[in-house]
Structures are given as structure tokens and as C-alpha cells.
Amino acid sequence: MKKHLIILVSIAFAACSSNSKVGKVQTSDTVLSIPDTLYPSSKLIVPTHNEWTSKNYPKMIKSFKANPLQLHDIVFVGNSITSQGRNWGERLNNKAIKNRGIAGDVTDGVLKRLGEINYIKPTAVFIEIGINDLLNDTLSPERTAKNIIQITKIIHQQNPKTKIFVQTIFPTNKTNLVDRIKLTNTIIKNHKSRGVFTVIDTHLLFADKNDFMQKELTVDGIHLNEKGYQIWVDCLKKYFK
């Protein structure tokens, strides 16, 4: 047991080691007005959203409009795993960090809502997305990885100074997802455009020896409990000066 614990700690350290750091954010007291046209329309239909997400997505976009990002914020983009982290600025002691997680969202949904993010010229973007794609048997790991890489390209093209971090897809307790997650993460880590983004191998933080989510870190086999969030936060702290 002790040996196994040491191995897990070593893996977690490796997952969080990086020379890429988020620099100081030049904050402003001026409230930025973001054009409505940069947000997805309330009538937008994302075909890969399930029925529940198709209702939640426009609600969250409406909430984002009411609480717009500000110039040079640090944006956490993702699905429910990011969303349920709630106040990331408080967790990481950095008020410039804003949560743009949407429960149930998929890579197609993120691609449709990059307008707001690019408009504010973010200092950094942390991306956590893909598990809902892989839960859909009709969406392949190759397609999921391609979309994640496309998200980074769009951000980089419009804001080449923005630091982009892609967090690998977390493990789950579902046997049929092990190989799908592994392939998606492998494609991302081996992609030739690695210079555009930095990979944070968050999968390693939470995987047990069988590549399942560690039971003591989850509430349902997919989502994190508070202990899991603390491990994630401790990892991310290393990316901030």
C-alpha cells in the first residue's frame, strides 16, 4: 500500500510539472461591454448536446452575459467538472480567474462560445472538455481530440499571446470509456501543434492502477468530490507565478 501511494504521488508530481507559467494579469476597473453577437444565440442548436444540455446551455450563456468576462481575465473553460469547481478565483487566490464551465457541454458547444473569450484577450485559458463527447458512442476519440485541438488553434490565432493549457480527460468508473479516453488523450499529447498549448496531464492525478477514477476522489465515478478538487487545485497552483 505504501509503495502504491508513493507511485501515485510521483505520478501526480509529473502531471503537474511544467515550465509554462501564467504571468501577472493587468487588471482594469473598467467594465467591459461585450457585444451580444459574440455569444451563441439562444436559438442555437448544438446537435451533439443531449436533451438536458440543450436546455442548460442557453441558460448558462444568459448567465455569462449577465456576468461578462473582463479584459485579460484567466478563463477556465469546460463542462460540469469545471463548473462544479465554482469560484476558481477563490480556490487559486486570483480574482482574475473566471469560470466558464457548462454542465453537459461537449467540444462542439465550446467551439460555439469562443467569441466572448477571444474578445477579452485572455491572459490564459485552461481547457477541460471531452468526457461528454466520449459518453456518446457515436462520437469518436479522434473527433473529440480534433475538436479540442481546434479550440486551441482558434484561441491562438486570435490571441497569440494567450497561454493555453489543455487538461487531459479525467478517468471514470466506466470500463467502456478506458480505451476511448486513453486514445483521445494520446492524440492530444502527441499532436504536432503542442507549441500552441501546454498539456496538463490531469488524467494521471485521478487514475488508479487500473486507469479508473480513484474512488476516494469522486462522488459518482465521473465528478470530483472536494478532496478531488483540492488535488486539482494543488496541481494548478504550479502554473501560476
Side-chain angles (χ1 to χ4, degrees):
M1 177 63 75
K2 185 176 181 180
K3 182 178 180 181
H4 180 57
L5 180 60
I6 292 173
I7 291 172
L8 287 176
V9 171
S10 299
I11 289 173
F13 180 80
C16 295
S17 298
S18 175
N19 293 322
S20 184
K21 304 277 187 180
V22 177
K24 185 177 180 181
V25 181
Q26 299 297 324
T27 58
S28 172
D29 293 331
T30 303
V31 177
L32 197 64
S33 178
I34 301 177
D36 277 356
T37 54
L38 294 180
Y39 295 94
S41 166
S42 59
K43 297 181 180 179
L44 174 70
I45 297 175
V46 179
T48 47
H49 279 163
N50 61 29
E51 184 177 355
W52 183 86
T53 307
S54 65
K55 296 176 181 177
N56 182 55
Y57 187 87
K59 289 180 182 178
M60 292 303 298
I61 297 300
K62 184 177 180 180
S63 173
F64 295 162
K65 284 185 180 182
N67 300 278
L69 299 172
Q70 296 304 305
L71 197 63
H72 305 313
D73 273 347
I74 297 165
V75 188
F76 279 34
V77 183
N79 49 44
S80 57
I81 300 174
T82 291
S83 177
Q84 291 176 13
R86 301 188 184 281
N87 193 334
W88 285 99
E90 186 175 284
R91 287 183 181 275
L92 287 160
N93 193 30
N94 190 326
K95 65 179 182 179
I97 299 174
K98 303 296 170 58
N99 192 333
R100 283 301 184 259
I102 295 182
D105 204 8
V106 295
T107 55
D108 288 336
V110 171
L111 283 166
K112 296 292 186 181
R113 56 186 177 97
L114 293 177
E116 174 200 26
I117 295 167
N118 278 319
Y119 186 77
I120 59 105
K121 301 183 184 303
T123 298
V125 178
F126 287 77
I127 301 164
E128 173 276 313
I129 197 70
I131 191 60
N132 293 315
D133 297 64
L134 299 180
L135 284 166
N136 184 336
D137 291 337
T138 66
L139 301 180
S140 69
E142 291 86 355
R143 181 188 187 278
T144 303
K146 181 180 178 180
N147 274 3
I148 292 171
I149 292 165
Q150 182 63 16
I151 291 167
T152 70
K153 287 182 177 179
I154 291 172
I155 296 171
H156 181 70
Q157 286 168 359
Q158 297 191 35
N159 293 287
K161 293 184 179 180
T162 296
K163 293 197 173 183
I164 304 170
F165 298 86
V166 175
Q167 298 165 99
T168 52
I169 298 174
F170 296 6
T172 71
N173 65 350
K174 299 181 182 298
T175 303
N176 65 313
L177 288 182
V178 171
D179 289 340
R180 288 167 63 77
I181 292 172
K182 184 176 182 180
L183 177 55
T184 307
N185 287 339
T186 298
I187 294 171
I188 291 168
K189 288 188 286 186
N190 292 339
H191 194 266
K192 61 183 179 181
S193 294
R194 278 289 298 274
V196 170
F197 58 88
T198 297
V199 172
I200 305 176
D201 206 346
T202 36
H203 182 91
L204 290 177
L205 292 176
F206 305 107
D208 65 16
K209 61 181 181 180
N210 296 312
D211 219 15
F212 291 115
M213 174 69 82
Q214 295 179 50
K215 293 179 180 179
E216 65 272 21
L217 303 180
T218 182
V219 294
D220 58 6
I222 293 179
H223 300 92
L224 302 177
N225 57 24
E226 192 52 39
K227 184 177 179 181
Y229 276 108
Q230 190 55 56
I231 289 174
W232 192 3
V233 167
D234 288 342
C235 171
L236 294 178
K237 284 179 180 177
K238 300 174 183 178
Y239 290 84
F240 291 86
K241 290 183 179 179

